[in-house]
Amino acid sequence: MSLNSKSQEVNNVFNKKDSISLLLKKYRTTKDSLFLNEYYYQKALYFKKKYKTDSSFFYYNKSKNISVLLKDSLKAGKTLLSMASILRKEGDFLGSEITTIQGLRLVEPLGDIRLIFDLYNELGIALLNLRRYKESRKMFNKAYEMALKGNSKSKKDKNTAIFFINMAINYTKEGNYKKSIEYRKKCLKIDSLKTNHPKTYAGVIGGIGSSYFNLGDAALGLKYYLEALKLRKKINYKLGICTSHTMIGYLYLQEKNFKKAKEHSLKGLEYAKLINSSPRMLQNYWQLSQVVEPKKAKEYLKEYILLNEKLIKKERNAKNRFAKIIFETEKKDIENATLKTENDKKQLQLESEKQQKLIGWLVAGTSILFIAFGYVIVNNRKKKLLFKAKLQQIEAREKERQQIAKSLHDEVAGDIRILYKKLKKNNLTEESKELDRVNNNVRNLSHQLSSVSFDEVSFKDQIVNLVSDYFDANFLIRVKEINTVQWKEVNNSIKRTLFLTIRESLQNIDKYAEANNVILGFGCSKKSLILSVKDDGKGFDINSKKSGIGLKNMKERIEEVNGLFSIESEPKNGTTITIEIPNNGKQN
């Protein structure tokens, strides 16, 4: 399914009742990240409407991370715009700048005019609050370029008005009040502004009044202030009414008209509390402390100090608070460098530090991986050398056994045979019989010590020969799955170990187990060879019976090639020996 068709499916779910919950249910059913992304985004909007900024930012950040993973740059850019706006409103202007730049880097290649306009606009406001006025105007101009590309006249008018207002505010902050008035009057010439956007129109009027007042024309400033207040009351725009009363109170305070200053400052404070605007409350507390009687002034001043401390603390914590949210939710940094901005040494330094830190982590990570890789290679090489040494020891021991077997067979047995003939010749019958018995034992020991050659006779044929030696109608030995193993690829020392173990096991079963059936089972995997020897004999109690020398020898042989040896047995339930040897003795 394409990304567009999936997005349509997400929209279909969202249009239903309890859509946010449905999105989460749909994700749990389909495991499609598009549903989870939209769930996080809608949760962010929900908390934004509830004025729960931290929660809104948290879910926006989670949505952004998924959008980046899905390579949905448009959704990621839209989410970053919302995050930047929250950061700016909470006083983290540098965080807002960085977040907006991340959004622009994702969205600009897509050419989405509306979103690019909003991002440049947000970036300009962040830079304005950072007092980087020239850079701020540059961003506003880039936003205006996008505004002119729009098709709708009403949309063009609205975005043009935003541009004029932002430029006016920029020049006001910089102290160029004439330029500020110039841009605001350009804004008033937009025909549709007063009708379609009365709040904005009233704000422009108030801004002109503020600029005239700052230029020293208090009368003209008051005229525009009062006109703005009238317009705002007409549309019941509480934030605007609060602003107008506050600014008019400030104007009268500067003109020493304390009665009028008190009247408007009290109104400004009333509306500020109504809309919960801390900055406006702060300003009106200070203005009232200047125009009322000393006792009351002290109360207002105390309120001013407490609120000011609270706002300073809030602003100080804002950056850390939202940085912590990002730290706790991000799995990795999506963007590690920010756009270079003109004449911004601090930003360049910040970007350089980020890159150096990233390089440091990459170098450290690479070093750790290199060390780990080297350790694995060295460890495997060490294991191979150790195993090779063990095989050499086994081969040397086999040669020694062969030499002993040959000496027993050719020399000791031969000498005993000569002595036997002399005793028999001298009619020492009993002594000769005993010596003949010793001779047979020596020969048997010679055969046991002698090894087998898998170069001349294959492992399978050696096992067949061994089994045939024990042929008896009451003692059946069955061999299973021997062909599943590629015996030519198995080291001869391992084959010899298995052969000797099987031979020792069959001897023990034949002598002690009173068994009627024996199963030799073979198996293999990518990692190991498996042998099981199972009989239906009388068995024994493993915990109470001491291990015989035969079992001990078998266990030691298997462990020499890094194998595992286990035995299970119960009285009257037979015995099972299980052996597992890593392929060619390598430990896994």
Side-chain angles (χ1 to χ4, degrees):
M1 187 182 290
S2 68
L3 187 63
N4 288 336
S5 56
K6 282 187 176 183
S7 298
Q8 185 59 49
E9 187 178 355
V10 170
N11 291 334
N12 291 339
V13 172
F14 184 67
N15 288 331
K16 297 177 182 177
K17 189 179 179 181
D18 299 326
S19 53
I20 297 180
S21 300
L22 287 173
L23 285 166
L24 186 58
K25 288 179 182 178
K26 190 72 175 176
Y27 166 71
R28 287 171 176 167
T29 304
T30 63
K31 299 300 178 185
D32 190 329
S33 297
L34 274 174
F35 290 104
L36 183 62
N37 188 11
E38 190 62 28
Y39 167 74
Y40 285 144
Y41 189 80
Q42 295 301 328
K43 286 282 283 187
L45 288 175
Y46 170 80
F47 284 115
K48 183 180 179 182
K49 291 175 183 176
K50 296 287 184 181
Y51 300 101
K52 293 184 178 180
T53 316
D54 286 16
S55 297
S56 178
F57 188 87
F58 173 81
Y59 282 107
Y60 273 134
N61 190 52
K62 291 179 83 70
S63 172
K64 180 262 297 181
N65 289 340
I66 295 178
S67 295
V68 171
L69 289 173
L70 293 173
K71 297 183 179 180
D72 188 350
S73 298
L74 195 64
K75 186 65 172 280
K78 184 179 178 183
T79 309
L80 284 164
L81 174 65
S82 298
M83 292 169 67
S85 177
I86 291 173
L87 289 167
R88 171 177 55 81
K89 289 174 183 177
E90 292 293 326
D92 184 5
F93 305 121
L94 184 59
S96 177
E97 177 194 5
I98 293 170
T99 304
T100 310
I101 290 170
Q102 289 176 350
L104 279 167
R105 293 174 72 179
L106 290 172
V107 174
E108 273 196 306
L110 304 177
D112 188 287
I113 294 172
R114 179 178 177 182
L115 189 51
I116 295 171
F117 169 84
D118 290 336
L119 284 163
Y120 271 121
N121 205 49
E122 187 65 46
L123 180 56
I125 297 171
L127 292 169
L128 173 63
N129 284 283
L130 288 168
R131 299 179 182 178
R132 288 151 57 186
Y133 303 118
K134 187 177 179 181
E135 293 174 64
S136 171
R137 290 195 290 272
K138 185 177 179 181
M139 295 304 111
F140 289 143
N141 275 298
K142 285 193 174 186
Y144 187 48
E145 289 175 13
M146 293 296 108
L148 295 176
K149 292 179 181 179
N151 296 322
S152 166
K153 184 180 183 305
S154 61
K155 194 67 179 176
K156 279 184 182 180
D157 287 349
K158 180 183 177 182
N159 290 340
T160 301
I162 291 171
F163 166 70
F164 287 148
I165 292 168
N166 283 335
M167 290 293 283
I169 294 171
N170 182 292
Y171 281 116
T172 298
K173 293 275 187 180
E174 197 175 36
N176 190 339
Y177 302 113
K178 289 183 178 179
K179 271 282 188 183
S180 175
I181 292 171
E182 179 185 325
Y183 272 100
R184 282 194 168 96
K185 287 189 174 180
K186 283 182 181 180
C187 192
L188 292 179
K189 292 179 181 179
I190 299 173
D191 296 334
S192 60
L193 187 66
K194 186 174 183 179
T195 305
N196 297 335
H197 305 284
K199 290 181 183 179
T200 304
Y201 184 83
V204 173
I205 295 293
I208 294 173
S210 177
S211 293
Y212 275 124
F213 175 74
N214 283 302
L215 285 170
D217 193 339
L220 195 55
L222 180 61
K223 176 186 173 184
Y224 278 99
Y225 273 147
L226 291 171
E227 185 181 348
L229 177 61
K230 183 179 177 182
L231 291 168
R232 285 164 169 168
K233 283 183 176 180
K234 187 176 180 180
I235 58 175
N236 195 28
Y237 179 33
K238 293 182 176 61
L239 175 60
I241 295 170
C242 174
T243 301
S244 289
H245 278 301
T246 303
M247 298 311 297
I248 293 169
Y250 178 74
L251 187 150
Y252 278 124
L253 176 62
Q254 298 302 309
E255 294 298 306
K256 310 292 185 184
N257 188 338
F258 299 128
K259 182 179 179 181
K260 286 286 186 179
K262 178 182 177 181
E263 176 188 338
H264 284 282
S265 294
L266 282 170
K267 279 287 185 181
L269 181 61
E270 178 187 340
Y271 275 95
K273 288 181 178 180
L274 184 66
I275 62 174
N276 195 28
S277 174
S278 296
R280 289 288 177 256
M281 281 191 270
L282 192 70
Q283 187 172 349
N284 283 295
Y285 280 137
W286 180 82
Q287 290 174 191
L288 288 167
S289 72
Q290 306 298 308
V291 296
V292 297
E293 62 276 11
K295 186 177 180 180
K296 192 67 176 174
K298 188 176 180 180
E299 292 178 13
Y300 282 126
L301 195 59
K302 183 180 178 181
E303 291 290 340
Y304 171 84
I305 292 169
L306 289 173
L307 182 57
N308 189 48
E309 287 178 352
K310 183 179 177 181
L311 289 177
I312 291 171
K313 186 177 180 180
K314 181 181 178 183
E315 185 175 340
R316 190 184 298 124
N317 292 335
K319 182 176 180 179
N320 293 333
R321 187 169 84 250
F322 291 108
K324 185 178 179 182
I325 291 173
I326 293 174
F327 176 78
E328 289 174 345
T329 56
E330 293 239 287
K331 301 298 179 186
K332 61 178 180 178
D333 292 333
I334 304 304
E335 299 291 333
N336 297 302
T338 57
L339 185 67
K340 290 183 179 180
T341 51
E342 185 180 352
N343 300 322
D344 185 14
K345 292 181 181 180
K346 288 185 180 181
Q347 184 61 29
L348 285 173
Q349 184 180 357
L350 177 64
E351 186 174 340
S352 176
E353 287 174 359
K354 283 186 175 182
Q355 290 173 348
Q356 288 174 8
K357 188 180 287 187
L358 178 62
I359 290 168
W361 279 111
L362 287 173
V363 170
T366 303
S367 300
I368 291 169
L369 288 173
F370 180 76
I371 291 168
F373 184 63
Y375 173 78
V376 171
I377 291 174
V378 171
N379 195 44
N380 285 340
R381 183 174 177 80
K382 184 179 177 182
K383 288 178 181 178
K384 287 179 181 178
L385 291 172
L386 184 61
F387 176 63
K388 187 176 180 180
K390 284 185 177 181
L391 289 184
Q392 289 173 348
Q393 289 175 0
I394 293 169
E395 291 291 343
R397 194 157 51 247
E398 283 301 317
K399 287 180 181 180
E400 187 178 346
R401 288 160 65 100
Q402 291 279 28
Q403 188 62 43
I404 294 170
K406 185 176 181 182
S407 296
L408 286 172
H409 185 275
D410 296 345
E411 297 174 16
V412 178
D415 291 343
I416 291 174
R417 186 67 180 169
I418 292 169
L419 185 57
Y420 164 76
K421 286 181 179 182
K422 287 181 179 181
L423 290 173
K424 193 172 182 181
K425 188 176 182 180
N426 292 321
N427 295 319
L428 296 172
T429 308
E430 290 299 323
E431 288 81 353
S432 64
K433 284 182 179 180
E434 184 61 27
L435 196 58
D436 189 44
R437 185 184 64 78
V438 172
N439 188 41
N440 287 332
N441 287 340
V442 169
R443 287 181 179 278
N444 287 335
L445 180 59
S446 171
H447 287 304
Q448 287 182 5
L449 285 171
S450 65
S451 187
V452 288
S453 173
F454 299 106
D455 295 325
E456 298 173 4
V457 182
S458 70
F459 180 84
K460 178 182 175 182
D461 290 339
Q462 292 281 14
I463 296 298
V464 171
N465 292 337
L466 180 61
V467 170
S468 65
D469 289 342
Y470 289 90
F471 178 76
D472 189 301
N474 296 319
F475 188 64
L476 296 177
I477 302 173
R478 286 181 289 172
V479 180
K480 290 187 174 182
E481 306 295 337
I482 193 169
N483 292 325
T484 60
V485 181
Q486 299 294 323
W487 293 108
K488 288 183 179 180
E489 297 176 6
V490 179
N491 186 280
N492 280 344
S493 294
I494 295 175
K495 288 190 279 192
R496 188 175 294 111
T497 299
L498 288 173
F499 178 84
L500 293 175
T501 302
I502 293 168
R503 187 171 72 180
E504 185 78 31
S505 299
L506 293 177
Q507 286 174 353
N508 288 342
I509 295 168
D510 187 40
K511 285 182 181 180
Y512 309 115
E514 299 177 11
N516 295 318
N517 295 283
V518 180
I519 299 174
L520 300 179
F522 293 90
C524 68
S525 66
K526 290 182 179 180
K527 295 184 177 181
S528 58
L529 295 173
I530 300 168
L531 166 68
S532 64
V533 183
K534 184 175 182 181
D535 70 67
D536 61 355
K538 62 182 181 181
F540 61 93
D541 186 347
I542 295 173
N543 297 321
S544 63
K545 187 176 178 69
K546 293 183 179 179
S547 297
I549 191 168
L551 289 174
K552 185 178 179 182
N553 287 340
M554 279 191 276
K555 188 173 186 294
E556 287 178 354
R557 280 198 204 101
I558 298 304
E559 288 177 348
E560 279 184 341
V561 288
N562 296 329
L564 298 174
F565 177 91
S566 65
I567 183 166
E568 297 179 9
S569 185
E570 290 182 4
K572 299 181 181 180
N573 283 325
T575 302
T576 300
I577 292 173
T578 304
I579 294 162
E580 185 173 352
I581 302 176
N583 287 337
N584 290 329
K586 297 175 186 176
Q587 290 178 327
N588 294 297

